[in-house]
Each structure stands twice: as structure tokens, then as C-alpha cells.
Amino acid sequence: MNAVPSPAPRRPIRELPDELVSQIAAGEVVERPASVVRELVDNALDAGASQITVRLLAGGVRLISVEDNGWGIPRDELPVAFKRHATSKIRDLQELESVGTMGFRGEALAAINSIADCAISSRAEGQNNAWLLDGRSGELKPVARSTGTTVEVKELFFSTPARRKFLKTDATELAHCIESVRRHALARPDVGFAIWHEGKLVEQWRACSGSDTMTALDQRLADVLGADFIEQSVAVDFTTSVAHLGPSHGVRVWGRAGVPDAARSRADHQFCYVNGRFVRDKVLTHAARSAYEDVLHGHKQPVYALYVEIDPTRVDVNVHPTKIEVRFRDSREVHQAVRHAVENALAAPRALAAAHAAAQVVTPAAGDFSEEKQAPALAKWSQPAINFGATSQLQGGHRVSDLAALWQPTPAATTHTASTTDRSDSSGLGVAAAPGLPQAGDTFNREEAASTWPLGRALAQLQGIYILAENAQGLVVVDMHAAHERIVYERLKNQLDVKDIASQPLLIPATFAATPQEVATAEAHATTLHTLGLEITPFSPKTLAVRAVPATLVQGDAVELARSVLAELSAHDASSVIERARNELLATMACHGAVRANRRLTFDEMNALLRQMEQTERSDQCNHGRPTWRQVTIRDLDGLFLRGR
């Protein structure tokens, strides 16, 4: 039997020595060599550097040297640089509440100097030479170098050998250092970065010139994350405004969001910046993830680089010593801004942009066949309408015929007079007939095809599952059930969005034991809950009663819905929970209402489906996140048959 340990003898309260205080502070700021790299690069950026060079030995354990061409440190200010809480970034509380620099605490150099052998050499503008400050002895001597600053950190954790044992291999620490610089590089395309390890250049990103910020950012994203990231992502630019102050005091979200097809198994390509500072924030991560809920397949992780610009007085960066966490004054506003920004960017069908790009460049195959032989003519016809039959049933007693109103003809981009007759097939799908197939004398206008029919015109149906179509780029393969499912789903959502959420009172209120936070949330947000179609009232000091739920969710678990809404409402916006539950029901209805596999479609029906895909938001993915169409270019086909080789 273990003996109960006796309490330690009481010790008097005393002040800790400065050296121990500095080492405790270093434990908060410096976790590994990458932490030192981050702090020193922050200082270089604050100094106005346009070129930063990082040199490492042994993954940064033996040496970390950060050299910049900024405005330097004057000779008389150098001795103060290594002192605790000494900084040029802020002067008073007002500046602390509106921090606009990367660093501001004045702890980094002092903390690093307490656990490593440090030296600073710097030359300010107007000085005849540079000065070298030794962090141990405080000795100051003249040296030669150009304008700027170099900070050298040798033998990290030499004074705390226990901490050094927790470091990983040199290769692992080097990877963390590179990642730290990469995060800075993504935020500052106007600055060049170079990383050397053991005398070899391992990474280099040149400064991106140009007056267009978005163009420079795209170039830097391509350099750092690869050209595939630009090709498989969409531009994001969204701004909210404060009602009485205007857009300049709102929240701007910009950058690029990866398409669902580019999702990865790990969340290693997710970058969020607040006023140029890389952060890991639950509000931003949750907002971005919720924007992908309707289009992402399985447990894949989206890829994105999002930049949030907000008034510095509305965000607190003084939350964590490493400055990687922030706190927003109005987190719900930021959450909604990020979510809507990404949702809007992903909503537009990618076929439109791809077709416009394809109209500019068409790669003919090597050989003697002409452009007319590559791509037969595209018929000119008015868009027909698909009408559902009344034989199939939906869950809950709804008929497929109830959805017929959601599938109505819309004016085609280019209309031509043609005689039409009604016809139908054995599948029960009725269409308004379109003009016949193109004749041999017709020509294929690529520019018109790109702007009018990005997904081209139907050629055939394969195995009753896929539609084969031809566009300006080549061959398009469409999963007809998945595509139609998304179209019906979006139509159902739009129909409900124009109406208020109807509430259905429960005959017997559903009660549940609630936490104090749930009770407080229900009382504080009663109006918001009513807007969402929910009525949650206190039944007792520790019990809540659900008295009404949204009419479309009346068959669901009222208690589970209430708990989810209250949890979401306390942190973000509960409407996402209602939308998620409602969308699951609509997705089921849409799945049953969509055309099934092995149903033969006429050319007019197939073309009508393609036209609706071009006009429907998020039509690139079905309700379950699977792709609805794929492009096979002429170049891809040439490669299959070794043409031009």
C-alpha cells in the first residue's frame, strides 16, 4: 500500500532572480528552433525588410541566423535590444489595443538570449559602419555590413540541457523552420525569402512585383504551394460593413479557397491570416469548414489561404505569448464573413471559368486534320424543360411531381426561332423538343460555345449512367444522377430561403436537463431562436422545454436539435445547425427526385441537364460531395493515342 506523501515544508515568498524569470518566459515563447525563426522574421518584417535570409545549422539547434535589409538599429539603441520588455513597437495602452506590427511584447530577444548564445550586428541608415552586440558580455564593437540587421542564435537551449533533449531530429526541426518561414512568405508576397541549411539553399521565394495585390498574391501562392493550388482554387473577396461606419470599418476576407476536388486527407494546407499575422483560430477554422459542408466528400480537409482584414481595435492579439491566437470583439461577425466569403466563391460553377479559358487557347493535335475535324458543330437551340412524371414517390408522402415547378425553362443565352413539338419517352420524363442535331454544314464557334454552353452539347449516353458531351476543350463526362440531384437540391433550398422558417408547436413539449450555460443561452437568445423556428423556454431552474421546432424538422429529435442549436449559438451562429438539419432532409428529397441511372434520355433532355448545370450553384459536386462532371481535354486524348510523338 502506497504511503500518502507528506506535504513539502513551507517556504518564504521571495522574488525570482532575473535569469530564472527570463528562462521561464523563454519556455512560453521558444518551444523549438522554429519559434526563434518566427520571432526573428517578425522583427525583420517590422523593420521594413524587402529581403530576408535565414541560415541554419543542425536544423537550427547549432545556429539560426536571420539577415535582413531593413532600416537597422542605431548604435545607441543596440544595448537595450536584449533587455526584457524593451521594444520600439508600442508606447502606451492605446497602441497595445491597436497593434499593427508583427511583434510588440519586447520579450523575444531577451527570452532567446537567456537560453542561447546571441549576437546582433546592425547598421542603421546614415551610419558609417555596423555595430556588433554580444548578448552575453554586452560588448559593442564596429563591424562591416550593409544597412540592415543580422541576429545570430548559437547553441539553442545550451543553458537548459533538459529542454534540448525534447527536440526531434535535425530533419524534423528543419521542416518546422521551413514551415515557419513559409507562413510568413504567404502573407508578404512583396518580400523575398531564402533559407539555407548546412551551406545549401533549400528554399527560395523571390519578391513578387506588381501593383495588383491579388496578382502578386497568386504568384506567391503558386511559388509556395505549387501551381496546382492556383488551378484548383477560386478567388475569394468579400467585405462586410458596419451599418453606421461603412465598409472601411467592416471585415474583408480575401485570398483563395481550394475546390472540393482538391481536398486533402490532412489539414496541412489551411492558412488563415488576421491583418497579416498567421493564426490558428477556432472561429476561422469552423467558419471555413462550415462553408464546405455542402460540397465536401467524406472526411476530407479543404485547402485554402484566407486573409482577414479588420480594424486592429476590434481584435486582441495579446492573448498568447506566441501570438498565434487572437480574440475577436465580435466573433460572430467574423465567422459569418469568412463563411459567406468561401460559400460565395465556391457557389459559381467552375465550368464557366474553364470554358472562357479554353476559348483563348485550343491545342490542335499533330497531324493533318483541321479545326473543323477536331470539334463538330454545336447546334443552336432554345433550352427545353424537363418535367417530372407523377409515378415516383418521395419519403413523407411527397411526390416527384411536386418538384416539377422547380424545373422550368429559363431563357437561353442565345435564342433562335425554331419549330418545336412536344414528345416524351417511356421513362416518364417529358421535354419540349429542341431543333435537330447539327448538320454537316454548321460551324463550331468556340468563342460562342465558351460563353453560351461551357459544358458543350450532348453526344451520347453511356450505359444509362453518364452523359458524353463536347465543349471547346474536348470531352465532358457527366454523372447524370449526381448532377440532377444537385440541381433539384439547390432549387429546393432556394424555394425555402425566400420564405420564413415556419414553426410547428409540439403537442407535448420535450424537456431535458440543461447546463447553466444552455439555460443562459436560451434566455439571452430567445429572439434569435424564434427566428429560427424554435421555442425553448425554462421549465425549471435546471430544465429546458422545447415547445416548437421548424416545421420541416418536426419528425426529428427535438432535444438533440435544441442542444445543437444552443451549443452553436453560444459560440457562433445557430442558423448553421438549422440549415444543416434542413439540408439533410432536402438532400434526401432531391436524391429521390433526381433521374435514376439506366434511364434513357433524349438528346434534348441531356442538353437541358447540361444547361441547368451551368446555371446552378455548386453544380460541380452532388449533395454528397462527389464530382458531377469531368473534363477530358484534346491534349489528354492525344496522349492516349500518342499523337504528335
Side-chain angles (χ1 to χ4, degrees):
M1 187 174 180
N2 296 332
V4 178
S6 58
R10 182 187 180 281
R11 294 181 178 180
I13 300 176
R14 295 176 179 173
E15 288 188 88
L16 294 176
D18 289 341
E19 183 179 4
L20 183 55
V21 170
S22 297
Q23 291 182 347
I24 293 174
E28 298 176 346
V29 177
V30 182
E31 301 173 359
R32 59 195 331 152
S35 304
V36 177
V37 173
R38 181 191 66 242
E39 296 290 348
L40 298 183
V41 173
D42 280 349
N43 288 340
L45 292 174
D46 288 339
S50 60
Q51 179 64 44
I52 300 175
T53 302
V54 180
R55 304 181 190 275
L56 306 169
L57 293 178
V61 179
R62 288 175 48 203
L63 171 68
I64 299 174
S65 173
V66 177
E67 176 184 347
D68 68 68
N69 63 347
W71 51 62
I73 305 174
R75 179 184 182 280
D76 57 339
E77 295 180 15
L78 267 178
V80 189
F82 281 126
K83 291 186 177 181
R84 296 179 61 236
H85 307 300
T87 181
S88 62
K89 315 300 173 59
I90 60 174
R91 284 289 180 267
D92 50 35
L93 180 61
Q94 183 178 359
E95 292 186 349
L96 177 62
E97 293 178 348
S98 58
V99 174
T101 54
M102 300 297 293
F104 59 90
R105 289 175 173 270
E107 295 180 350
L109 289 179
I112 297 170
N113 189 46
S114 67
I115 56 173
D117 187 5
C118 298
I120 299 179
S121 60
S122 183
R123 178 181 177 180
E125 295 181 358
Q127 291 186 173
N128 295 328
N129 57 272
W131 294 89
L132 173 66
L133 174 66
D134 185 275
R136 289 283 131 194
S137 63
E139 180 184 0
L140 197 63
K141 60 181 180 181
V143 292
R145 69 148 295 162
S146 58
T147 302
T149 303
T150 300
V151 181
E152 289 189 352
V153 180
K154 299 179 180 178
E155 303 300 333
L156 192 63
F157 296 127
F158 83 96
S159 59
T160 54
R163 293 283 303 277
R164 196 163 185 168
K165 294 179 181 178
F166 286 91
L167 296 178
K168 306 300 182 181
T169 63
D170 291 352
T172 300
E173 297 300 337
L174 172 62
H176 284 285
C177 292
I178 294 175
E179 178 65 18
S180 178
V181 180
R182 184 168 72 152
R183 292 170 179 172
H184 284 92
L186 289 175
R188 294 295 301 271
D190 58 318
V191 179
F193 295 85
I195 307 175
W196 296 74
H197 184 249
E198 304 288 351
K200 297 180 180 179
L201 182 65
V202 293
E203 287 288 358
Q204 183 177 23
W205 302 295
R206 301 184 185 279
C208 302
S209 58
S211 57
D212 188 353
T213 304
M214 291 296 291
T215 302
L217 177 63
D218 287 351
Q219 181 60 50
R220 176 55 59 86
L221 288 172
D223 293 341
V224 178
L225 301 180
D228 290 344
F229 178 80
I230 300 298
E231 296 174 358
Q232 299 180 357
S233 64
V234 292
V236 176
D237 198 348
F238 181 85
T239 304
T240 65
S241 62
V242 179
H244 61 287
L245 296 177
S248 61
H249 290 79
V251 179
R252 184 194 177 199
V253 182
W254 59 293
R256 297 196 73 88
V259 298
D261 294 347
R264 302 164 62 91
S265 57
R266 296 187 302 165
D268 57 344
H269 273 44
Q270 298 178 354
F271 300 91
C272 286
Y273 296 84
V274 177
N275 293 341
R277 186 192 309 276
F278 175 82
V279 297
R280 288 198 189 99
D281 184 77
K282 293 181 179 179
V283 173
L284 302 180
T285 304
H286 184 277
R289 179 69 192 188
S290 63
Y292 280 90
E293 278 184 350
D294 223 14
V295 293
L296 205 59
H297 182 59
H299 299 284
K300 291 286 188 177
Q301 294 291 335
V303 299
Y304 51 79
L306 300 176
Y307 303 83
V308 179
E309 293 180 3
I310 188 173
D311 186 347
T313 61
R314 303 180 63 202
V315 56
D316 184 8
V317 298
N318 189 25
V319 177
H320 194 275
T322 61
K323 305 186 292 292
I324 205 169
E325 298 178 10
V326 295
R327 184 179 294 113
F328 298 103
R329 179 176 297 180
D330 189 347
S331 60
R332 186 167 294 123
E333 178 193 5
V334 177
H335 182 277
Q336 289 299 295
V338 173
R339 182 185 176 192
H340 290 155
V342 179
E343 277 184 340
N344 294 346
L346 295 174
R350 295 194 303 276
L352 300 177
H356 283 293
Q360 305 299 324
V361 179
V362 177
T363 305
D368 58 354
F369 71 109
S370 64
E371 182 176 304
E372 287 77 8
K373 293 181 180 179
Q374 287 186 63
L378 183 62
K380 298 177 179 180
W381 49 280
S382 300
Q383 178 179 311
I386 294 182
N387 298 311
F388 292 95
T391 56
S392 301
Q393 298 286 333
L394 291 179
Q395 291 182 351
H398 296 281
R399 294 180 179 274
V400 177
S401 57
D402 296 337
L403 307 180
L406 305 179
W407 186 262
Q408 295 297 331
T410 57
T414 305
T415 58
H416 298 273
T417 304
S419 59
T420 61
T421 58
D422 291 338
R423 62 185 180 183
S424 61
D425 63 359
S426 59
S427 66
L429 289 170
V431 300
L437 293 176
Q439 303 301 317
D442 293 339
T443 59
F444 185 69
N445 189 319
R446 298 185 183 281
E447 183 177 353
E448 183 180 7
S451 60
T452 309
W453 302 302
L455 290 179
R457 54 110 179 191
L459 298 176
Q461 188 178 14
L462 181 64
Q463 298 292 326
I465 302 174
Y466 300 103
I467 295 174
L468 305 183
E470 177 194 24
N471 66 354
Q473 286 180 280
L475 180 67
V476 176
V477 183
V478 178
D479 184 333
M480 68 179 194
H481 172 74
H484 194 196
E485 185 179 3
R486 168 60 73 176
I487 292 170
V488 177
Y489 177 45
E490 291 296 328
R491 295 274 182 152
L492 286 171
K493 288 198 303 180
N494 292 338
Q495 187 184 55
L496 287 183
D497 287 341
V498 299
K499 301 178 180 178
D500 294 334
I501 298 179
S503 179
Q504 174 66 52
L506 299 179
L507 184 61
I508 301 176
T511 60
F512 63 96
T515 64
Q517 183 178 7
E518 289 174 334
V519 174
T521 302
E523 294 176 345
H525 299 280
T527 304
T528 303
L529 292 172
H530 179 73
T531 304
L532 298 174
L534 276 168
E535 183 180 350
I536 305 175
T537 59
F539 188 77
S540 72
K542 295 184 179 180
T543 307
L544 290 176
V546 184
R547 302 184 183 277
V549 297
T552 56
L553 306 176
V554 69
Q555 301 298 329
D557 189 329
V559 173
E560 181 180 357
L561 177 63
R563 286 189 181 277
S564 299
V565 170
L566 292 175
E568 193 82 3
L569 190 57
S570 64
H572 307 294
D573 185 357
S575 62
S576 62
V577 179
I578 296 292
E579 289 181 8
R580 193 180 307 122
R582 185 197 70 177
N583 290 347
E584 288 177 359
L585 174 63
L586 296 184
T588 301
M589 296 172 62
C591 185
H592 286 275
V595 291
R596 295 294 182 180
N598 300 320
R599 293 180 65 178
R600 309 302 299 182
L601 302 182
T602 66
F603 281 102
D604 293 331
E605 291 171 336
M606 289 187 282
N607 281 316
L609 183 61
L610 296 177
R611 301 293 77 78
Q612 287 291 341
M613 288 178 63
E614 294 164 355
Q615 300 169 9
T616 302
E617 292 184 348
R618 306 174 188 86
S619 61
D620 301 305
Q621 271 73 34
C622 75
N623 308 349
H624 314 291
R626 295 188 296 104
T628 59
W629 66 279
R630 293 293 192 187
Q631 177 79 61
V632 183
T633 65
I634 293 295
R635 185 185 296 273
D636 296 333
L637 294 174
D638 291 343
L640 292 176
F641 295 96
L642 306 181
R643 292 189 62 87
R645 298 187 183 180

